[in-house]
Amino acid sequence: MFNYRIDREVELKVLETGDAEELFLLTDANRRCLRQWMPWIDGTQTVEDTRAFIEHARQRWARGEGITAGILADGSLCGVIDHHGLSTLNRSAAIGYWLAQSHQGRGIMTRACRGMVDYAFHSLGLHRIEIRAGVDNRRSRAVPERLGFTLEGVARGAQRLYGVYIDLAVYSMLATEWPPCGPAVAEAGGPA
């Protein structure tokens, strides 16, 4: 099981197949805003699609390839955040995320991302975290900027988004630059 309490309001928990319906309904309710930046949204049409996503994420976690967690605010699922592209050789990973429109503007994603970075550096012993966001996606870019990540540059034409290639702003943080672990409390282990 993986639970990571960020503060009294925000918690991260590994997604389980029993979360498929709730996650699908959240995704479906936010389909229009998610489609602007998320290339996977058109492939998520049913609860079964979401269940398959969760099962794939759990298999990646079991193989040590990264964590996909639900973001809970006051106990309700409101988004997803993950470590992906985990390299044990380079001790690095990337973080990706999305948040329901109804929960944006409250600092939830910044806190969730801070928790994932803390976990990556302090529990997984990683050296580098990267976050990529569409250059025009100001809300997504604001998260690494608020957390003090360094903007390394722009990866030109790096993401195919519905037949068009978009540029991605590339941010990074090194373990030596990250402040010590804050009040978050983690309970982590293998998949349940």
Side-chain angles (χ1 to χ4, degrees):
M1 198 62 158
F2 170 86
N3 287 321
Y4 203 93
R5 178 151 296 281
I6 306 302
D7 54 34
R8 289 180 6 172
E9 181 185 17
V10 179
E11 179 181 0
L12 307 179
K13 89 171 194 65
V14 74
L15 291 169
E16 300 174 25
T17 53
D19 297 319
E21 185 171 352
E22 184 181 8
L23 180 58
F24 174 74
L25 291 173
L26 185 68
T27 303
D28 201 43
N30 288 274
R31 184 172 300 279
R32 188 171 180 185
C33 71
L34 289 173
R35 193 175 193 282
Q36 186 175 3
W37 302 110
M38 303 295 174
W40 50 264
I41 195 73
D42 286 356
T44 304
Q45 296 296 321
T46 66
V47 173
E48 285 306 313
D49 294 334
T50 301
R51 189 172 284 112
F53 160 75
I54 291 171
E55 186 54 39
H56 176 74
R58 290 180 65 78
Q59 290 170 6
R60 281 184 39 250
W61 185 36
R63 292 190 304 264
E65 296 172 357
I67 296 169
T68 301
I71 302 169
L72 283 74
D74 294 322
S76 297
L77 184 66
C78 63
V80 174
I81 190 166
D82 76 345
H83 288 143
H84 57 273
L86 185 67
S87 169
T88 54
L89 176 66
N90 295 312
R91 293 179 37 224
S92 64
I95 292 179
Y97 44 80
W98 66 267
L99 190 66
Q101 198 167 19
S102 61
H103 286 73
Q104 294 176 8
R106 296 171 41 194
I108 293 170
M109 186 54 73
T110 300
R111 289 180 278 162
C113 196
R114 180 180 291 118
M116 285 295 267
V117 175
D118 276 344
Y119 185 75
F121 289 148
H122 300 291
S123 297
L124 299 179
L126 297 186
H127 168 70
R128 174 187 163 90
I129 295 293
E130 185 174 289
I131 295 176
R132 292 177 172 224
V135 293
D136 294 326
N137 189 344
R138 291 305 312 155
R139 283 186 172 270
S140 187
R141 291 184 64 180
V143 173
E145 290 170 1
R146 276 192 293 271
L147 293 174
F149 276 61
T150 298
L151 175 62
E152 293 184 337
V154 173
R156 298 177 306 134
Q159 182 180 27
R160 189 165 187 246
L161 190 62
Y162 308 106
V164 176
Y165 289 91
I166 66 168
D167 298 342
L168 298 178
V170 180
Y171 294 89
S172 69
M173 176 66 69
L174 302 180
T176 55
E177 301 166 334
W178 189 248
C181 190
V185 176
E187 298 173 21

